[in-house]
Every structure is written in C-alpha cells, then in structure tokens.
Amino acid sequence: MTGFLFELSFWLAAPVWLLMILAPAWGPTARIAASPLTVVPILLVYLALALPVLPELWATVRSPDLDGFRDLTALADGAGAIWAQVIAWDLLLGQWMYREGRRLGVHPLVMGPLLVLTILLSPFALLLFLPLREVLGRREYPTLSGGCLRYDSGPPKGQS
C-alpha cells in the first residue's frame, strides 16, 4: 500500500503540472494554478502515510537531527510521507512561479523548462527564477494616464 501511495502523490500533482507546462495560456489553467486546493489530495496521501509513523515523525520534527531524520526515512511510510510533502510543496511553488511568470510576461518557452526543473529539483529552479523575476519586475511599461504617457513598473492593468 505504501508504494501505491508514494506513486499516487506524484500522479495527483501531474495534471496541474501538465497544464502549467503544456497549456499555460488556456483559461482554466490560470484558475486551477491560482487555487491552493490543488494540493489537498496530495496532503491526504501525506496523512495516510504519516499517521502510521506519527510518533517517529513527531520525535523527528520536535527535536530535529540528522540521525532522527535518517531513522524516519528508513521507514517506508516515513519516506513516503516526506515524499508526499515534497510533492505538495513543490506544486505550490510551481503554481506561484507559473502565476508570477504570467504576471511578468515570461514566455512559455522559458517558463516550461523552469517548471520542469521545479518538478525535478525545485531549489535550483527557484534560484534561477528569483533573479529572472527581479529583473522582469523592474521593467517599465508605457501606460496612458489622464491622456499622458507615463511609465509604470509591471505589465499594464488587465494583462497578465
């Protein structure tokens, strides 16, 4: 059962990832990526894996050390629970990156590979995305205000 739940945690996240990577401009993608509820099924898998090892999990988070973490992940349910937690948090991070990328006008051919990297190695992807976000967030966009052209940072209102 643990092996099935381990695999299920990824397959529950996969449709959201596929939408953000392969159909980023499709209307429902933005609505789905804006919802934190996408991770609820994954967190239910987490609970199913974490509850059987709750004493060990609690001992590990209450007084964290490498040996305790190693002992927890040596248990199948412990490793599965940690995996489901990583899948859930990576998905939330990916959804935020997707929304920020859309807001800043990052081309899908740039965001797609960044999101794939987020699935595989999210810390590396975040370290690449944050400077990109900073640079693009500083761009100035021409807008009309009161009949006068002025420059604002960020994309024009209504464009994301």
Side-chain angles (χ1 to χ4, degrees), residues 102-120:
R102 299 285 294 162
R103 181 181 68 82
L104 295 169
V106 179
H107 196 279
L109 291 177
V110 174
M111 279 310 299
L114 272 171
L115 291 172
V116 170
L117 186 58
T118 305
I119 295 168
L120 302 173

Side-chain angles (χ1 to χ4, degrees), residues 6-26 28-35 37-40 42 83-102 108 110-126 129:
F6 179 90
E7 295 290 330
L8 182 62
S9 63
F10 175 77
W11 291 114
L12 290 170
V16 180
W17 285 113
L18 288 172
L19 285 173
M20 293 187 300
I21 294 165
L22 300 177
W26 187 47
T29 301
R31 287 191 300 277
I32 291 166
S35 174
L37 298 178
T38 56
V39 299
V40 169
I42 304 162
W83 179 251
Q85 180 177 331
V86 167
I87 294 294
W89 299 154
D90 283 356
L91 181 57
L92 281 177
L93 176 62
Q95 289 175 232
W96 174 78
M97 289 171 57
Y98 164 83
R99 290 191 320 275
E100 283 293 287
R102 299 285 294 162
V110 174
M111 279 310 299
L114 272 171
L115 291 172
V116 170
L117 186 58
T118 305
I119 295 168
L120 302 173
L121 296 166
S122 61
F124 292 103
L126 185 59
F129 182 73

Side-chain angles (χ1 to χ4, degrees), residues 1-6 49 77:
M1 182 64 146
T2 300
F4 169 75
L5 292 173
F6 179 90
L49 291 163
D77 285 335

Side-chain angles (χ1 to χ4, degrees), residues 50-64:
L51 288 176
V53 293
L54 193 57
E56 295 87 348
L57 177 61
W58 179 248
T60 301
V61 298
R62 183 176 37 89
S63 180

